[in-house]
Amino acid sequence: MTTTAHTPHHTTKLLVATFAAALALLAVGSAAAAPAASLHATSTCWQQVINDWLDNNQVDRIYAIPCYTQAIQHLSQYPDVAGYSSAEDDIHRALLAAIRLDRGGGGPTGPSGGPTGPSGPGSPSGGSSKSGGGFFNAIGDRLGPGNAQSIPLPLIVLAGLALLLLLAAGGTWFARRLQARRVTSAPLTAPAGPKRR
């Protein structure tokens, strides 16, 4: 069994990391104390609520209170989400948590009960926080369904299959044409028979 000695450089790194983590926790805690009423509703804030729910099937951030009701009203535009998921209940639960937070009835409730932090253009968690994981994850994040306005995954799969079928049809057409050209380029001559004497 080997033991590693902590060098002064390693101890300094550990101290800086601990200080940065404590500072981040302090910043998140003070940001979570902001009431939902201080956030302003925009014309597309309902999309942000739906996109937040689509990210992991829960509303993680705090939005202006009208945004939640607008999101529930706009769920009819997404029949799969409205009909086959708990989106309406989850958004309603997040609305109640935001109202409770706005009235001073308690802090964030966590993953199972609603919002856990602020959101908006100026907040640190206002964007999508998907972690990178390589080439295919980057392509999936760009092309895949990541929000309410993206193209549905089954449509992307069908378009890929259609493209493959078109490429296969074009390849067979090109192969036939090339083979037909080979056949017609050789002149047909009658075989010479045995000579008569």
Side-chain angles (χ1 to χ4, degrees), residues 11-138:
T11 306
T12 306
K13 278 183 166 180
L14 185 62
L15 185 61
V16 169
T18 305
F19 180 71
L23 188 61
L25 284 174
L26 182 65
V28 169
S30 65
S38 66
L39 301 172
H40 299 287
T42 62
S43 62
T44 60
C45 67
W46 62 270
Q47 287 178 337
Q48 293 172 349
V49 174
I50 292 176
N51 289 340
D52 187 6
W53 184 87
L54 286 173
D55 185 36
N56 58 0
N57 293 343
Q58 63 186 12
V59 180
D60 297 324
R61 298 178 191 98
I62 298 174
Y63 301 93
I65 292 173
C67 298
Y68 296 102
T69 55
Q70 290 173 10
I72 291 170
Q73 291 168 354
H74 282 90
L75 276 177
S76 63
Q77 294 178 3
Y78 308 99
D80 289 342
V81 173
Y84 301 110
S85 70
S86 63
E88 184 174 350
D89 294 335
D90 294 339
I91 293 171
H92 187 70
R93 188 178 309 116
L95 168 65
L96 294 176
I99 291 171
R100 183 175 56 245
L101 181 66
D102 185 42
R103 292 185 182 166
T109 58
S112 63
T116 58
S119 177
S123 71
S125 64
S128 175
S129 60
K130 293 185 178 179
S131 59
F135 176 71
F136 292 110
N137 284 341

Side-chain angles (χ1 to χ4, degrees), residues 124-195:
S125 64
S128 175
S129 60
K130 293 185 178 179
S131 59
F135 176 71
F136 292 110
N137 284 341
I139 289 177
D141 287 344
R142 288 184 183 255
L143 296 179
N147 60 33
Q149 295 296 321
S150 63
I151 300 171
L153 185 61
L155 193 58
I156 293 172
V157 171
L158 286 175
L161 287 173
L163 182 65
L164 283 173
L165 286 172
L166 286 173
L167 287 173
T172 56
W173 175 81
F174 182 73
R176 282 188 196 173
R177 181 129 180 151
L178 188 63
Q179 190 175 13
R181 191 179 270 175
R182 286 183 190 161
V183 170
T184 57
S185 64
L188 293 174
T189 57
K195 289 186 179 181

Side-chain angles (χ1 to χ4, degrees), residues 191-197:
K195 289 186 179 181
R196 290 187 193 183
R197 290 190 183 167

